[in-house]
Amino acid sequence: MPIYEYACPSCKMKFELLRPLSQASEGVSCPHCHNNAKRVLSIFSSFTTDESGLTTHIAGNNPCASCNALSCDSCNL
Ligand SMILES: [Zn+2]
């Protein structure tokens, strides 16, 4: 099971939970104050998360398809 990091907006507590992937974006209650805590993305992640919780690889939105870089001299992007 993957481990996810959560942060509580009420008391600023951060904690980690082992959860099935299918429950990764579901709300959890803070173990300290029992308010709703939100998942925070790992610093290792190269993914962005939109408001619906879907992950999109940054390269998927890359207009510079020929060289697979976000910007480069050859494509002038
Ligand atoms: Zn809390």
Side-chain angles (χ1 to χ4, degrees), residues 9-57:
S10 299
C11 67
K12 311 300 182 192
M13 183 177 176
K14 284 190 173 183
F15 56 98
E16 291 175 337
L17 279 180
L18 281 168
R19 304 189 91 192
L21 187 65
S22 58
Q23 294 175 17
S25 54
E26 290 181 16
V28 295
S29 60
C30 172
H32 182 248
C33 69
H34 303 290
N35 279 311
N36 261 356
K38 291 185 176 177
R39 184 182 162 204
V40 293
L41 290 175
S42 161
I43 58 170
F44 302 109
S45 176
S46 60
F47 292 79
T48 57
T49 304
D50 66 20
E51 289 175 340
S52 64
L54 296 172
T55 55
T56 307
H57 197 276

Side-chain angles (χ1 to χ4, degrees), residues 51-69:
E51 289 175 340
S52 64
L54 296 172
T55 55
T56 307
H57 197 276
I58 291 170
N61 297 325
N62 180 10
C64 188
S66 62
C67 65
N68 210 30

